[in-house]
């Protein structure tokens, strides 16, 4: 943390102020307050409307907090935010912290039933949303006050955040007695997402990221991953804590992301693997138009980074890959550095300081031998205390199940073999789809692949692959089956291959496996 500039030992007063601010206002509003005090001219945010300094973010959120308080929002309120990445979303997050209200980050991919179910379960009392989600908002009771965070065309009766900020005193508001905290939602690839409350009481929690990711104070982060997802949110919070600028756009565009890196001399790019895939797929001609030499860190998380994609990205950007493995419930578990990736492509690396990762078999016995697959359990100072509906993850020896299975290599690097519930049993043999999927995407012309198990009267289950090809590519199903057969055991060869234009994914890039069978 000293190297990163988070703890300037020459200014112990700044350290104390940071700890007090985070404890009283939460990690987002507290970090912005400290950054504004440290250098009122420093840029904190760059969105499609231009730059804002940390001081401007601080005063804007003062005004918004005061305006919301005048309309009945208090430290007992639950503010739901359904927005893309822009200043209105950040203003809301900061204002919620200053009011001590609970902030619920909603998924922009929600349908009406999911939105209504989550809002009822979490006790939402205020709803702030982008104008594009106005129709979706009709799923909520009309008694819940609504405000618009981003507009393209403002109806006369629509209350906007910008209007509230412009017409309200921006002096500091009274500090809440307790920080309100926030609730993240699980990815929700099936059913209604669960709520995972998070409470960060100290900037020292950032040590678990900074131990293996060389972020530095006063730099610039290009945030591709959405704010409502743990990947984007964690790096947004750390960037603010470091007094670094965050560049964001409402919608991800691979070429515009490269342009933003060049224009802002970004040192860190934060993406999920599907975003990284779209960037490297632009090809040498487009990639060569932009100067991305400022990048020191390419931070990827949220779903599996295949060896093929990670290696392609390394050829484009250099040795900058930092592949994080974690979950909404535990935050960070392990991080693979560029050195880890070079030595073992596909690894998710090692646990940073303050984290413990262990493997257990189905009987709860710890696995210590290399290359033996087991259930992954994690202990972290950032782990949650249980879902908002009262349920919890499996716990062994004080560690939380992350829902995956994996193995360590002889050098202690972790590899994820798949989801515990994705395992396919075919003819008595266990198959985890990720091994087959990684092999398929290595084949020339294949962009992405997903493998599931389907019922089979003879073998119990058989493997079925869904594959998307590069534009203009021609690949036969028999070619892919022969490729798998030449590299893996016979029982891992898909019996069927279905070609799709693209795989169905949720808003954070995870494949919706339960929907694959809809395509045949």
């Amino acid at each position: 943390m000293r190297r990163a500039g988070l703890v300037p030992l020459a200014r112990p007063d700044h350290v104390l102020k940071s700890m007090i601010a985070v404890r009283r206002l939460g990690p987002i509003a507290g970090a912005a307050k400290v950054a504004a005090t440290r250098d009122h001219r420093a840029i904190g945010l760059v969105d499609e409307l231009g730059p804002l300094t940390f001081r401007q973010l601080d005063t804007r959120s003062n005004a918004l907090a005061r305006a919301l308080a005048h309309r009945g929002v208090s430290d007992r309120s639950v503010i739901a935010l359904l927005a893309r990445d822009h200043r209105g979303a950040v203003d809301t997050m900061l204002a919620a912290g200053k009011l001590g209200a609970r902030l619920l980050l909603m998924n922009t991919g929600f349908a009406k039933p999911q939105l209504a179910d989550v809002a009822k379960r979490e006790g939402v009392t205020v709803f702030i949303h982008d104008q594009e989600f106005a129709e979706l908002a009709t799923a909520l009771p009309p008694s819940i006050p609504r405000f618009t965070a981003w507009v393209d065309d403002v109806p006369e009766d629509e209350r906007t955040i910008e209007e509230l900020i412009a017409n309200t005193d921006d002096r500091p508001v009274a500090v809440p007695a307790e920080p309100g905290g926030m609730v993240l939602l699980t990815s929700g690839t099936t059913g209604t997402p669960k709520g995972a409350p998070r409470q960060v009481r100290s900037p020292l929690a950032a040590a678990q990221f900074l131990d293996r990711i060389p972020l530095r104070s006063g730099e610039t982060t290009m945030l591709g991953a959405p704010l409502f997802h743990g990947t984007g949110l964690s790096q947004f919070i750390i960037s603010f804590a470091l007094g670094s600028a965050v560049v964001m756009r409402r919608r991800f565009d691979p070429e515009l992301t490269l342009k933003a890196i060049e224009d802002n001399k970004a040192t860190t790019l934060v993406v999920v693997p599907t975003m990284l895939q779209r960037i490297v797929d632009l090809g040498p001609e487009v990639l060569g138009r932009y100067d991305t030499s400022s990048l020191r860190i390419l931070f990827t998380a949220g779903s599996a980074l295949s060896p093929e994609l990670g290696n392609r990205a390394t050829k484009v950007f250099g040795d900058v890959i930092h592949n994080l493995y974690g979950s909404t419930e535990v935050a960070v578990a392990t991080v693979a550095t560029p050195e880890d990736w070079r030595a073992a492509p596909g690894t998710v690396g090692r646990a940073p300081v303050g984290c413990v990762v262990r493997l257990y078999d189905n009987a709860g016995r710890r696995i210590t031998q290399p290359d033996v697959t087991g259930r992954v359990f994690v202990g972290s100072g950032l782990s949650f205390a249980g879902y908002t509906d009262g349920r919890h993850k499996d716990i062994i020896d004080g560690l939380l199940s992350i829902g995956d299975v994996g193995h360590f290599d002889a050098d202690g690097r972790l590899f994820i073999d798949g989801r515990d519930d994705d395992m396919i049993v075919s003819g008595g043999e266990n198959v985890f789809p990720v091994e087959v999927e990684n092999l398929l995407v290595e084949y020339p012309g294949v962009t992405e692949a997903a493998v599931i198990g389907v019922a089979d009267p003879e073998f119990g289950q058989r493997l079925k692959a869904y594959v998307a090809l590069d534009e203009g590519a021609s690949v036969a199903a028999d070619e892919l089956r022969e490729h798998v057969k030449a590299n893996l055991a016979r029982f891992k060869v898909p019996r069927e291959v279905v070609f799709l234009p693209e795989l169905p994914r949720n808003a954070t890039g995870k494949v919706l496996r339960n929907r694959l069978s809809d395509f045949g």
Side-chain angles (χ1 to χ4, degrees):
M1 291 190 293
R2 178 184 58 79
R3 289 195 306 269
L6 183 65
V7 179
L9 298 183
R11 293 298 305 270
D13 57 322
H14 282 183
V15 178
L16 182 60
K17 286 179 181 178
S18 296
M19 298 185 72
I20 293 173
V22 170
R23 179 165 289 276
R24 298 177 74 181
L25 298 175
I28 304 174
K33 172 70 74 175
V34 172
T37 303
R38 186 185 302 169
D39 181 357
H40 69 277
R41 297 165 300 178
I43 299 298
L45 176 69
V46 181
D47 69 357
E48 289 159 77
L49 297 179
L52 290 171
T53 65
F54 280 109
R55 175 65 60 84
Q56 289 173 309
L57 289 169
D58 188 36
T59 55
R60 283 171 60 88
S61 57
N62 285 343
L64 180 57
R66 192 180 298 278
L68 292 174
H70 287 165
R71 289 158 177 79
V73 181
S74 70
D75 57 1
R76 296 183 298 277
S77 299
V78 178
I79 301 174
L81 175 64
L82 180 63
R84 301 196 185 274
D85 292 4
H86 52 73
R87 61 185 60 193
V90 175
D91 290 330
T92 300
M93 297 165 81
L94 294 171
K98 292 180 176 182
L99 291 170
R102 174 170 277 203
L103 176 69
L104 172 65
L105 298 177
M106 294 285 211
N107 190 318
T108 57
F110 269 174
K112 281 188 177 182
Q114 288 178 307
L115 179 68
D117 288 350
V118 169
K120 181 178 180 181
R121 185 189 69 210
E122 303 297 333
V124 169
T125 57
V126 182
F127 189 56
I128 297 179
H129 62 93
D130 288 352
Q131 188 177 45
E132 67 176 286
F133 303 117
E135 170 59 25
L136 191 62
T138 61
L140 302 182
S143 58
I144 296 178
R146 300 172 196 171
F147 303 91
T148 306
W150 181 280
V151 297
D152 296 303
D153 179 26
V154 189
E156 293 182 1
D157 60 345
E158 195 157 9
R159 294 179 292 183
T160 70
I161 282 179
E162 283 295 336
E163 179 186 5
L164 296 180
I165 291 172
N167 296 317
T168 308
D169 185 353
D170 63 7
R171 288 175 300 148
V173 296
V175 176
E178 292 288 336
M182 69 182 76
V183 176
L184 300 183
L185 298 175
T186 57
S187 295
T189 53
T190 58
T192 300
K194 297 184 286 293
R198 308 306 298 266
Q199 189 72 275
V200 178
R201 295 298 186 101
S202 169
L204 302 180
Q208 295 182 353
F209 291 95
L210 298 176
D211 179 43
R212 294 183 63 75
I213 305 171
L215 296 161
R216 295 293 180 264
S217 177
E219 296 192 329
T220 301
T221 297
M222 176 63 212
L223 194 69
L227 277 173
F228 68 80
H229 185 254
T231 298
L233 181 66
S234 66
Q235 299 315 295
F236 169 72
I237 291 174
I238 289 177
S239 294
F240 262 35
L242 290 169
S244 295
V246 177
V247 182
M248 57 178 61
R249 295 291 182 266
R250 287 185 298 153
R251 288 179 174 82
F252 174 77
D253 179 280
E255 187 168 355
L256 291 180
T257 297
L258 295 175
K259 186 176 188 303
I261 292 170
E262 178 181 73
D263 290 347
N264 296 278
K265 300 293 187 289
T267 50
T268 300
L269 171 63
V270 180
V271 289
V272 297
T274 52
M275 294 175 175
L276 184 58
Q277 177 85 52
R278 291 180 62 190
I279 290 173
V280 298
D281 280 350
L282 290 172
E285 181 180 348
V286 176
L287 291 167
R289 294 175 191 162
Y290 301 96
D291 179 6
T292 58
S293 59
S294 58
L295 275 185
R296 297 192 302 104
I297 300 166
L298 201 167
F299 181 98
T300 179
S303 59
L305 177 65
S306 70
E308 186 267 348
L309 177 55
N311 290 341
R312 287 178 65 199
T314 298
K315 289 180 181 178
V316 172
F317 297 107
D319 287 325
V320 295
I321 293 286
H322 290 76
N323 186 28
L324 181 137
Y325 170 62
S327 71
T328 303
E329 295 83 0
V330 304
V332 58
T334 62
V335 179
T337 65
E339 294 74 22
D340 291 324
W341 191 269
R342 278 200 308 271
T347 183
V348 294
R350 298 178 172 88
V353 62
C355 294
V356 177
V357 178
R358 294 177 183 168
L359 303 180
Y360 292 86
D361 64 18
N362 289 332
R365 295 183 295 262
R366 186 179 175 187
I367 297 171
T368 57
Q369 309 97 308
D371 300 317
V372 177
T373 296
R375 299 171 66 200
V376 181
F377 283 73
V378 178
S380 163
L382 294 174
S383 295
F384 83 144
Y387 297 112
T388 52
D389 63 4
R391 288 181 289 173
H392 211 298
K393 285 282 194 179
D394 290 345
I395 300 176
I396 296 179
D397 296 337
L399 308 180
L400 296 181
S401 165
I402 206 167
D404 291 330
V405 292
H407 68 274
F408 289 106
D409 66 10
D411 294 313
R413 289 181 290 253
L414 181 65
F415 291 77
I416 300 304
D417 299 321
R419 292 291 297 173
D420 195 9
D421 51 7
D422 283 344
M423 186 178 73
I424 303 165
V425 181
S426 181
E429 301 285 356
N430 296 339
V431 182
F432 289 102
V434 68
E435 182 182 20
V436 183
E437 291 165 357
N438 285 343
L439 190 61
L440 288 171
V441 297
E442 290 176 3
Y443 196 81
V446 175
T447 301
E448 53 184 354
V451 175
I452 63 172
V454 296
D456 184 271
E458 182 179 358
F459 297 100
Q461 286 183 305
R462 67 180 185 275
L463 275 63
K464 188 171 185 177
Y466 293 82
V467 174
L469 301 180
D470 296 334
E471 186 176 353
S474 178
V475 179
D478 284 344
E479 292 179 60
L480 296 179
R481 282 193 289 265
E482 286 300 318
H483 177 60
V484 176
K485 185 178 178 180
N487 290 275
L488 297 176
R490 183 180 294 272
F491 62 84
K492 297 181 180 181
V493 178
R495 297 272 294 277
E496 299 175 78
V497 178
V498 176
F499 292 97
L500 300 177
E502 61 182 4
L503 300 184
R505 296 180 182 271
N506 66 11
T508 58
K510 291 186 177 180
V511 174
L512 299 171
R513 294 179 183 274
N514 62 318
R515 285 186 50 198
L516 287 171
S517 58
D518 296 343
F519 299 93

